[in-house]
Amino acid sequence: MMPSYLGGIEAGGTKFVCAVSERESGEIILEERFPTTDPISTLAKAAGFFKDASSQGYIIEALGIGTFGPAGVNISQSNYGKILATPKQGWEGADFLGTFRKSFIDLPIAFDTDVNAAAIGEGSNGAAKGLDSYVYITIGTGIGGGAVINGQLIKGLLHPEIGHISVRREGGDEFAGVCPFHKDCIEGLASGTAINERWGISAEELREDHPAWKLEAKYLASLCQTLTATFSPERIILGGGVMQQEPLLEMIQQEFKTLTNGYWQTPKNYLVTPELGNQAGITGCLKLAASLS
Ligand code: ADP
Ligand code: ZN
C-alpha cells in the first residue's frame, strides 16, 4: 500500500512551523520553520511549502492548523478559520481557511489555536497520554492554554482564554500588571513579560533564589486551583519558556498544596511539565489533521 501523508502548520506569533508526516507512523518527513511577517506573504509561504511537498510526491490528505489567537475555532460561526481581534499588527481578520481552501481545493482542513494543538500533542504522545481530561498551559511571553475534557477540546463562543483569568492578588503586590486589556489578569501578573516588567530583568536571568520565583509560584498555583475547580482535569501540564526555570515546578506544587488545603485529592503527578518540548504544537496539528479522515 502507498504511504499517505498529513500536513500541519503551527502558526506562532514569531514563527511558523510547517510539516508533512507519514500518517501511519506519525513520522515527520519534511519540516520548515520561518518567521511570521505579514499575513499575505506568510500564508503564501506556508502554502508554497505544501505545493513543493506535493511536487516531491508527498501529497497530503488533510491539514491541521494551530494558530496564535484569538481565532475563530468554532465551525458553526462565521468567523471560523480567521484571526480575530489580535494586537498583532496586520493580522486581525487574516483568513487562514480561505487562503488554504483556495490553494488546495477539497483538502480537509482543521483549524484551532496553537495551545489547543499543543494540548492535543501532549495528549497523543506526551505528558497527558492516555488521559481523557487534562489542561495544557503555556507560560511564555504571554499565558495561554487549552483544555481537553472527556476527550474533546473545549470550545464555545470562542475558545478558553486561560491567560486572562483573574487571580487573587498576593498581599503587598502593587505591580499594576501588563495585560493591555485587564492589567492584572494572570497573564498581566505572571507571564514572562510581566516578570521582566516587574523586576526589570528577564526571567532567564533571574537567580534561582530571587523572590520573584516564590511570587510566580503563588500566582501559578492560584491559576491551577481555578483550573482544578472549573475543569476538574486529571492533570495540568505547565509549559512555555518560563517553566524552563527548573525549581519552579516543585515550588508551584508546594504552593498548590498549601493553597488548596487538602480539598482535592490530586495524584502526585497532577502538575507536570510537557514531554514533547517544542514539538508539542506541530505534533498536535498533525493529529488534528489525522482526526479529519
Ligand atoms: P513564546 O511565549 O513567545 O512562544 P516562550 O514559550 O519561549 O516563547 O517564552 C518566552 C519567555 O520565557 C520569555 O519571557 C523569557 O524571558 C522566558 N524564558 C526563556 N528561557 C527561560 C529560562 N531558562 N528560565 C526562565 N524563563 C525563561
Ligand atoms: Zn488579560
Side-chain angles (χ1 to χ4, degrees):
M1 202 175 76
M2 291 280 285
S4 56
Y5 302 102
L6 298 168
I9 302 176
E10 185 189 3
T14 48
K15 67 170 188 319
F16 266 49
V17 183
C18 296
V20 170
S21 69
E22 213 212 31
R23 180 193 282 269
E24 278 296 303
S25 64
E27 188 194 343
I28 293 182
I29 294 174
L30 301 173
E31 186 174 306
E32 192 179 330
R33 292 164 184 252
F34 49 87
T36 309
T37 57
D38 66 284
I40 291 177
S41 39
T42 313
L43 295 182
K45 200 162 160 70
F49 169 85
F50 293 103
K51 283 185 190 142
D52 285 353
S54 102
S55 63
Q56 293 174 54
Y58 301 118
I59 301 168
I60 59 171
E61 289 182 349
L63 175 64
I65 301 170
T67 177
F68 67 89
V73 297
N74 192 330
I75 202 160
S76 63
Q77 290 184 22
S78 60
N79 60 17
Y80 182 64
K82 296 189 179 126
I83 299 284
L84 308 180
T86 174
K88 193 167 169 59
Q89 191 82 38
W91 280 82
E92 184 173 347
D95 186 2
F96 273 75
L97 213 57
T99 304
F100 290 105
R101 286 252 160 86
K102 241 184 250 158
S103 304
F104 305 99
I105 296 156
D106 293 338
L107 180 69
I109 302 177
F111 183 76
D112 226 308
T113 60
D114 49 0
V115 280
N116 274 352
I120 293 296
E122 287 293 333
S124 70
N125 209 17
K129 196 171 177 179
L131 300 182
D132 284 335
S133 300
Y134 59 93
V135 179
Y136 170 91
I137 57 180
T138 174
I139 304 108
T141 309
I143 294 182
V148 171
I149 301 301
N150 297 328
Q152 295 285 325
L153 277 168
I154 297 263
K155 290 180 199 178
L157 192 59
L158 186 63
H159 41 76
E161 284 276 15
I162 287 170
H164 298 284
I165 285 175
S166 294
V167 289
R168 190 165 53 195
R169 256 182 189 276
E170 288 300 319
D173 180 14
E174 287 176 6
F175 178 64
V178 297
C179 175
F181 299 96
H182 322 111
K183 290 212 178 297
D184 64 355
C185 59
I186 186 70
E187 176 168 298
L189 291 173
S191 60
T193 310
I195 294 175
N196 201 343
E197 284 285 312
R198 184 197 287 278
W199 304 100
I201 178 171
S202 72
E204 62 265 43
E205 289 172 302
L206 278 172
R207 289 168 36 157
E208 255 182 59
D209 59 356
H210 194 285
W213 294 117
K214 186 156 172 87
L215 188 64
E216 183 71 8
K218 279 181 184 281
Y219 280 132
L220 293 176
S222 179
L223 174 64
C224 290
Q225 183 190 34
T226 297
L227 296 174
T228 302
T230 49
F231 291 121
S232 194
E234 296 164 88
R235 189 166 296 161
I236 300 175
I237 305 164
L238 298 102
V242 172
M243 291 306 298
Q244 286 180 49
Q245 168 67 17
E246 258 180 44
L248 182 58
L249 178 66
E250 208 182 311
M251 292 171 78
I252 298 168
Q253 289 166 335
Q254 207 53 51
E255 295 294 344
F256 180 80
K257 205 169 156 189
T258 309
L259 184 65
T260 55
N261 197 25
Y263 191 80
W264 286 287
Q265 301 304 310
T266 50
K268 196 165 175 292
N269 59 355
Y270 182 62
L271 305 179
V272 299
T273 47
E275 284 177 11
L276 300 184
N278 63 6
Q279 287 300 98
I282 194 68
T283 303
C285 292
L286 292 162
K287 209 71 201 167
L288 288 171
S291 68
L292 288 174
S293 48

